[in-house]
Amino acid sequence: MMSGLDCKNEVERVGRFDLSLCNYGAQNEDVKGQYVHATVSQLLPRCQYLDLSIKSLSDALFSPYKDYESNRLYAGRLQTVSNTPFIIDETALGTGKLGDIGIKNIAALNQLIMHQTVTYDFRYYSNDWKVNLPVLLVSRGKKSLLAAADCIVPVKEKCTPSLPPQIYSQEVYNVCRQYLATVRSMKTRPFDIKEEMAHKVEQDFVRMRQIDSAICQDDLHRWLNLVRFVELSYGSNCCTERGWSIVQSLESERMDRNRNK
C-alpha cells in the first residue's frame, strides 16, 4: 500500500515492490482473491481488480489500441491513473483454452510486472509507456503463473475471511485511510541512511551471503525497500537499527515459509 516508483532509469525501477501471495485459499476453494481486493479497496482511494478467468482474459485487450476505422484510441484495463494498485486474482483461473487476446493479455501483465510499462498498439507501430502501477498477485498455487514478483509470501490461513469485509466500523477504516494517506505523502522526502547504518547493512549482507550463497543484490535491494516502508510506517525517513532488525526478522520468516511451502 506504500509502494510505488520513486524514479526509473534504464537499469532498475527504484521503489518498486510487487507482492505475490501464494497458497491463498489452498485449503478452501471458497476463499477468493476478491476478498483481498475488497479489503484493499476499503483502505486506498483507488485500486483495480483483475480476475484471471478465461472469460476475463478473452473478453477484451488489457492494453490500449488504435482502431483506424473509427479513428479512436480504445483504453485498456491497464490504462489508468498513476499509482493505482492492481490486484491480480489467479484464484479465478480455471480450465479452458486461451485465444490470441488472452495470450496478449498475459504478455501485457508480465510486461507490467517486470518493466512497469504498458504498450500502446497503433497497429503499424507501438509505444511502450512508463507507468507506476503497484501489483499484488493472489495465487492458490505455490507460485504465481505470471512473472515473479519482488516478494513472494506463502499465506498461512487461520480463518476464512468474509466478503465484504465488515469486521471494523467506518470510523476505524477512516483512521486507517488517514494514516496511509499521511505515510504515502512522506515518500516524496529523501530517505537517509547514515554512514554507521550503511556500514552495518553492508556487514550483515556479507555475513548472510556467507551463510546462503543464493542471496544476491536483488535481495539487498528488496530489504532496503522494505526498511524504508517500515520506517515510513513509524513516521521516519531515516534507516535505523530498529527498522533494519524488523525487516531481517520478517525476511527470515518469509524465507522459511518459502522453503517449507
Side-chain angles (χ1 to χ4, degrees):
M1 294 183 187
M2 292 185 286
S3 67
L5 292 184
D6 299 312
C7 65
K8 181 174 179 177
N9 54 43
E10 297 301 322
V11 179
E12 63 180 344
R13 300 164 295 158
V14 180
R16 77 165 200 176
F17 192 77
D18 298 327
L19 176 64
S20 176
L21 300 179
C22 62
N23 286 348
Y24 185 83
Q27 305 301 322
N28 184 354
E29 292 189 358
D30 291 332
V31 177
K32 307 295 184 182
Q34 64 191 111
Y35 292 7
V36 177
H37 171 256
T39 301
V40 173
S41 63
Q42 290 275 357
L43 300 173
L44 296 180
R46 59 184 178 273
C47 67
Q48 286 271 13
Y49 173 75
L50 278 178
D51 72 271
L52 294 196
S53 63
I54 298 296
K55 183 179 185 303
S56 175
L57 287 168
S58 304
D59 274 352
L61 288 169
F62 290 170
S63 298
Y65 66 95
K66 177 70 176 285
D67 182 354
Y68 284 90
E69 293 182 3
S70 61
N71 197 30
R72 288 183 58 189
L73 179 65
Y74 286 89
R77 295 289 301 275
L78 301 183
Q79 182 183 0
T80 187
V81 178
S82 181
N83 207 29
T84 299
F86 268 81
I87 314 296
I88 301 179
D89 180 11
E90 293 185 10
T91 67
L93 186 62
T95 58
K97 183 178 179 180
L98 279 180
D100 290 341
I101 291 179
I103 293 172
K104 288 181 179 179
N105 285 335
I106 291 292
L109 291 175
N110 282 328
Q111 178 182 334
L112 173 65
I113 296 168
M114 292 187 294
H115 306 295
Q116 278 292 298
T117 59
V118 172
T119 298
Y120 282 60
D121 182 8
F122 294 95
R123 186 185 299 178
Y124 305 109
Y125 65 96
S126 60
N127 281 336
D128 290 343
W129 291 75
K130 298 176 182 179
V131 295
N132 181 13
L133 304 173
V135 173
L136 171 58
L137 298 164
V138 184
S139 172
R140 206 181 297 281
K142 293 183 178 182
K143 63 178 182 179
S144 170
L145 300 175
L146 298 173
D150 300 301
C151 187
I152 302 172
V153 180
V155 175
K156 286 186 176 181
E157 296 176 1
K158 294 184 179 180
C159 61
T160 301
S162 60
L163 182 67
Q166 295 177 338
I167 301 175
Y168 305 108
S169 65
Q170 281 302 314
E171 288 76 12
V172 172
Y173 279 123
N174 286 336
V175 171
C176 292
R177 291 173 192 134
Q178 291 171 2
Y179 167 75
L180 286 171
T182 302
V183 169
R184 284 160 68 93
S185 69
M186 292 176 59
K187 285 192 63 185
T188 57
R189 306 175 189 172
F191 186 66
D192 188 22
I193 303 180
K194 303 294 185 184
E195 184 176 348
E196 182 180 345
M197 273 307 303
H199 182 63
K200 176 174 177 54
V201 169
E202 181 181 2
Q203 284 185 322
D204 287 349
F205 178 62
V206 171
R207 176 178 54 81
M208 285 183 281
R209 286 201 67 179
Q210 291 173 343
I211 298 173
D212 185 354
S213 59
I215 291 176
C216 61
Q217 290 290 334
D218 289 341
D219 295 300
L220 178 60
H221 178 76
R222 181 176 65 254
W223 297 339
L224 291 175
N225 261 338
L226 280 171
V227 76
R228 185 184 182 193
F229 299 146
V230 169
E231 294 294 356
L232 283 172
S233 71
Y234 283 97
S236 168
N237 278 96
C238 181
C239 180
T240 64
E241 288 195 29
R242 171 199 60 192
W244 180 250
S245 176
I246 291 173
V247 167
Q248 294 308 302
S249 176
L250 290 172
E251 276 291 272
S252 177
E253 180 178 353
R254 185 189 70 83
M255 293 168 75
D256 284 342
R257 286 194 190 185
N258 275 292
R259 281 191 288 265
N260 299 323
K261 66 182 179 181

